[in-house]
Amino acid sequence: MTHIVEMKGMNKYFGKLHVLKDIDLTVEQGEVVVIIGASGSGKSTLIRCVNGLEEFESGHLKVDGHELAPKSGNPKALAEIRKEVGMVFQQFNLFPHLTVKKNIMLAPQKVKSESPTIANATAERLLNRVGIGNQADKYPSHLSGGQQQRVAIARALAMEPRLMLFDEPTSALDPEMIGEVLDVMRELAKEGMTMMVVTHEMGFAREVADRVIYIHEGQIVEQGKPDDVFDNPQNERTQAFLSRVL
Ligand code: ADP
Ligand code: MG
């Protein structure tokens, strides 16, 4: 098995706040890992560490073979990781001054020196794949939230990532748009993409996750197959959390 993510004894502080506590976590190639937990438990910080958006103080983190040292001591690995890891945020974070298509074409041209012709073809293919091929020349503000999030996913895919990180990708959406974004994520999972997903969509987690991880105050207190975690949680913190959200 190929480990895409390997965390061992990872600790992260914001000042005195101990946000991630001795995290051990391995993600295999093709695995879909859903991370659940209360607000403030450290879910975002955990996945932001994976692509170096946050530094960590101690422990080991390897992403697709690249070792990220504590306190961002390895800029070379960081650059490689950023090329290989796509991220989708709650707030879509599209470039407002670029059309949808240009949003998708930018990184492959800048980071991978792709020709405009190739980048254009990739953008068109990906926009069709996420079901908005007809929106290519619009600006993000003219799209619905669900459409914008699908552009954000297409933009990440344009870099041909080895791993996709999602941080509450549907939390900012009107309810009627959540499904269209989850559909795209479901397809991606089916096609074998390795994914780490922070979400409160428990139906999605149950259906799509290979593994569900419950985080409480910066610690992984329970993990397992979705049916086991949801139907038969062992830890009382997990039980309490699930009884609030299910
Ligand atoms: P979650 O995503 O599970 O809601 P976060 O990872 O965002 O949790 O936050 C974990 C803890 O770290 C919270 O107590 C939060 O207030 C704190 N925190 C997050 N980001 C920062 C930051 N940039 N500076 C200081 N504290 C932070
Ligand atoms: Mg968060």
Side-chain angles (χ1 to χ4, degrees), residues 10-80:
M10 218 183 67
N11 286 280
K12 159 80 185 162
Y13 295 80
F14 283 117
K16 283 187 183 155
L17 187 66
H18 196 176
V19 187
L20 296 177
K21 299 169 184 159
D22 272 323
I23 301 280
D24 290 329
L25 172 60
T26 306
V27 180
E28 310 292 345
Q29 185 165 11
E31 196 178 17
V32 177
V33 173
V34 168
I35 298 161
I36 60 173
S39 174
S41 56
K43 307 179 297 298
S44 295
T45 306
L46 177 69
I47 63 166
R48 289 165 63 85
C49 282
V50 174
N51 68 348
L53 284 177
E54 301 289 355
E55 300 175 356
F56 56 101
E57 273 64 44
S58 67
H60 292 279
L61 171 56
K62 226 185 210 181
V63 181
D64 204 19
H66 308 288
E67 173 107 36
L68 261 182
K71 302 194 178 118
S72 72
N74 194 349
K76 238 177 151 179
L78 185 59
E80 287 307 311

